[in-house]
Short mmCIF file of all heavy atoms in Angstrom, two decimals:
data_model
loop_
_atom_site.label_atom_id
_atom_site.label_comp_id
_atom_site.label_asym_id
_atom_site.label_seq_id
_atom_site.Cartn_x
_atom_site.Cartn_y
_atom_site.Cartn_z
N THR P 29 -23.01 18.71 32.14
CA THR P 29 -23.02 20.13 32.53
C THR P 29 -23.85 20.21 33.80
O THR P 29 -24.42 19.23 34.21
CB THR P 29 -23.35 21.03 31.44
OG1 THR P 29 -23.02 22.40 31.77
CG2 THR P 29 -24.80 21.10 31.11
N TRP P 33 -22.57 25.18 37.05
CA TRP P 33 -21.39 25.65 36.19
C TRP P 33 -21.89 26.66 35.25
O TRP P 33 -21.20 27.72 35.07
CB TRP P 33 -20.96 24.43 35.36
CG TRP P 33 -19.61 24.68 34.59
CD1 TRP P 33 -18.34 24.35 34.98
CD2 TRP P 33 -19.46 25.38 33.38
NE1 TRP P 33 -17.45 24.84 34.15
CE2 TRP P 33 -18.15 25.36 33.07
CE3 TRP P 33 -20.35 25.91 32.41
CZ2 TRP P 33 -17.62 25.97 31.91
CZ3 TRP P 33 -19.86 26.52 31.28
CH2 TRP P 33 -18.45 26.55 31.05
N ARG P 37 -20.19 30.44 35.39
CA ARG P 37 -19.29 30.82 34.24
C ARG P 37 -19.90 31.87 33.18
O ARG P 37 -19.24 32.50 32.56
CB ARG P 37 -18.87 29.59 33.46
CG ARG P 37 -18.08 28.56 34.24
CD ARG P 37 -16.75 28.98 34.61
NE ARG P 37 -16.08 27.94 35.49
CZ ARG P 37 -14.97 27.47 35.26
NH1 ARG P 37 -14.11 27.89 34.25
NH2 ARG P 37 -14.43 26.64 36.04
N THR P 38 -21.31 31.90 33.11
CA THR P 38 -21.92 32.69 32.15
C THR P 38 -23.02 33.58 32.58
O THR P 38 -23.39 34.61 31.96
CB THR P 38 -22.51 31.80 30.99
OG1 THR P 38 -23.65 31.12 31.56
CG2 THR P 38 -21.59 30.70 30.52
N CYS P 115 -22.06 38.74 16.27
CA CYS P 115 -22.38 39.41 17.56
C CYS P 115 -22.55 41.01 17.30
O CYS P 115 -23.14 41.65 18.11
CB CYS P 115 -21.44 39.15 18.59
SG CYS P 115 -21.21 37.36 18.77
N ARG P 156 -20.43 21.19 24.66
CA ARG P 156 -21.04 21.83 25.85
C ARG P 156 -20.59 23.25 26.02
O ARG P 156 -21.33 24.08 26.52
CB ARG P 156 -20.82 20.96 27.06
CG ARG P 156 -19.43 20.96 27.48
CD ARG P 156 -19.27 20.07 28.79
NE ARG P 156 -17.86 19.89 29.14
CZ ARG P 156 -17.44 19.30 30.24
NH1 ARG P 156 -18.31 18.67 31.09
NH2 ARG P 156 -16.18 19.29 30.52
N ASP P 157 -19.24 23.57 25.71
CA ASP P 157 -18.73 24.83 26.00
C ASP P 157 -19.45 25.86 25.19
O ASP P 157 -19.51 27.11 25.59
CB ASP P 157 -17.17 24.91 25.83
CG ASP P 157 -16.70 24.51 24.48
OD1 ASP P 157 -17.45 23.74 23.82
OD2 ASP P 157 -15.81 25.09 23.89
N GLY P 226 -13.22 29.95 23.58
CA GLY P 226 -13.90 30.76 24.60
C GLY P 226 -13.01 31.57 25.38
O GLY P 226 -13.28 32.80 25.59
N ARG P 227 -11.90 31.03 25.88
CA ARG P 227 -11.02 31.78 26.87
C ARG P 227 -10.39 33.02 26.14
O ARG P 227 -10.27 34.03 26.70
CB ARG P 227 -9.92 30.88 27.31
CG ARG P 227 -10.27 29.98 28.45
CD ARG P 227 -9.16 29.18 28.98
NE ARG P 227 -9.63 27.98 29.46
CZ ARG P 227 -8.84 27.12 30.21
NH1 ARG P 227 -7.60 27.40 30.33
NH2 ARG P 227 -9.40 25.96 30.73
N HIS P 261 -23.57 43.73 24.12
CA HIS P 261 -23.93 42.46 23.53
C HIS P 261 -23.93 41.47 24.78
O HIS P 261 -23.16 41.59 25.71
CB HIS P 261 -22.89 41.95 22.61
CG HIS P 261 -22.91 40.54 22.25
ND1 HIS P 261 -24.08 39.92 21.78
CD2 HIS P 261 -21.98 39.56 22.13
CE1 HIS P 261 -23.83 38.68 21.52
NE2 HIS P 261 -22.61 38.41 21.65
N ALA P 263 -23.03 38.23 25.78
CA ALA P 263 -22.23 36.98 25.49
C ALA P 263 -21.98 36.15 26.71
O ALA P 263 -21.95 34.93 26.80
CB ALA P 263 -20.97 37.21 24.75
N ASN P 264 -21.70 36.91 27.76
CA ASN P 264 -21.38 36.32 29.09
C ASN P 264 -21.52 37.36 30.16
O ASN P 264 -20.92 38.44 30.04
CB ASN P 264 -19.91 35.80 28.99
CG ASN P 264 -19.53 34.97 30.26
OD1 ASN P 264 -19.81 35.40 31.41
ND2 ASN P 264 -18.80 33.84 30.06
N ARG P 266 -20.19 37.71 32.93
CA ARG P 266 -18.89 38.10 33.53
C ARG P 266 -18.13 39.16 32.64
O ARG P 266 -17.43 39.94 33.18
CB ARG P 266 -18.04 36.92 33.79
CG ARG P 266 -18.51 36.02 34.86
CD ARG P 266 -17.55 34.92 35.26
NE ARG P 266 -17.35 33.97 34.16
CZ ARG P 266 -16.19 33.47 33.73
NH1 ARG P 266 -15.06 33.95 34.32
NH2 ARG P 266 -16.16 32.60 32.79
N ILE P 267 -18.33 39.00 31.28
CA ILE P 267 -17.66 39.93 30.41
C ILE P 267 -18.26 41.30 30.60
O ILE P 267 -17.59 42.30 30.85
CB ILE P 267 -17.94 39.62 28.93
CG1 ILE P 267 -17.13 38.28 28.60
CG2 ILE P 267 -17.47 40.75 28.00
CD1 ILE P 267 -17.24 37.81 27.13
N ASN P 291 -27.13 33.87 24.91
CA ASN P 291 -26.54 34.67 23.88
C ASN P 291 -27.30 34.51 22.59
O ASN P 291 -27.26 33.42 22.02
CB ASN P 291 -25.03 34.24 23.70
CG ASN P 291 -24.30 35.02 22.72
OD1 ASN P 291 -24.90 35.71 21.87
ND2 ASN P 291 -22.90 34.79 22.68
O1 UT7 W 401 -20.94 36.07 21.48
C1 UT7 W 401 -19.74 35.77 20.88
C2 UT7 W 401 -18.54 35.96 21.60
N1 UT7 W 401 -18.32 34.96 22.58
C3 UT7 W 401 -18.00 35.22 23.78
O2 UT7 W 401 -17.77 36.30 24.14
C4 UT7 W 401 -17.69 34.00 24.76
C5 UT7 W 401 -16.49 34.19 25.56
N2 UT7 W 401 -16.07 32.98 26.32
C6 UT7 W 401 -16.88 32.58 27.38
O3 UT7 W 401 -17.98 33.02 27.58
C7 UT7 W 401 -16.34 31.49 28.18
O4 UT7 W 401 -15.05 31.23 27.78
C8 UT7 W 401 -17.14 30.21 28.18
C9 UT7 W 401 -18.47 30.27 28.92
C10 UT7 W 401 -17.37 29.67 26.80
C11 UT7 W 401 -16.38 29.03 28.91
O5 UT7 W 401 -16.06 29.47 30.26
P1 UT7 W 401 -14.58 29.40 30.91
O6 UT7 W 401 -14.68 29.85 32.14
O7 UT7 W 401 -13.66 30.11 29.85
O8 UT7 W 401 -14.29 27.93 30.84
P2 UT7 W 401 -13.22 27.09 30.07
O9 UT7 W 401 -13.41 26.97 28.60
O10 UT7 W 401 -11.85 27.54 30.58
O11 UT7 W 401 -13.39 25.66 30.72
C12 UT7 W 401 -13.18 25.33 32.08
C13 UT7 W 401 -13.56 23.93 32.36
C14 UT7 W 401 -12.96 22.92 31.37
O12 UT7 W 401 -12.59 21.76 32.09
P3 UT7 W 401 -11.14 21.44 32.66
O13 UT7 W 401 -10.32 21.50 31.39
O14 UT7 W 401 -10.83 22.56 33.54
O15 UT7 W 401 -11.23 20.18 33.34
C15 UT7 W 401 -14.05 22.55 30.45
O16 UT7 W 401 -13.93 21.36 29.89
O17 UT7 W 401 -14.94 23.71 32.24
C16 UT7 W 401 -15.33 22.68 31.32
N3 UT7 W 401 -16.47 23.00 30.66
C17 UT7 W 401 -17.75 22.78 31.16
N4 UT7 W 401 -18.15 22.10 32.32
C18 UT7 W 401 -19.42 22.07 32.44
C19 UT7 W 401 -16.71 23.62 29.47
N5 UT7 W 401 -17.94 23.85 29.22
C20 UT7 W 401 -18.64 23.22 30.17
C21 UT7 W 401 -19.96 23.04 30.42
N6 UT7 W 401 -20.32 22.43 31.64
N7 UT7 W 401 -20.99 23.49 29.70
#
Side-chain angles (χ1 to χ4, degrees):
T29 191
W33 190 96
R37 303 287 177 129
T38 71
C115 309
R156 66 180 180 177
D157 57 329
R227 277 187 210 187
H261 169 49
N264 186 316
R266 288 189 295 135
I267 291 178
N291 178 348

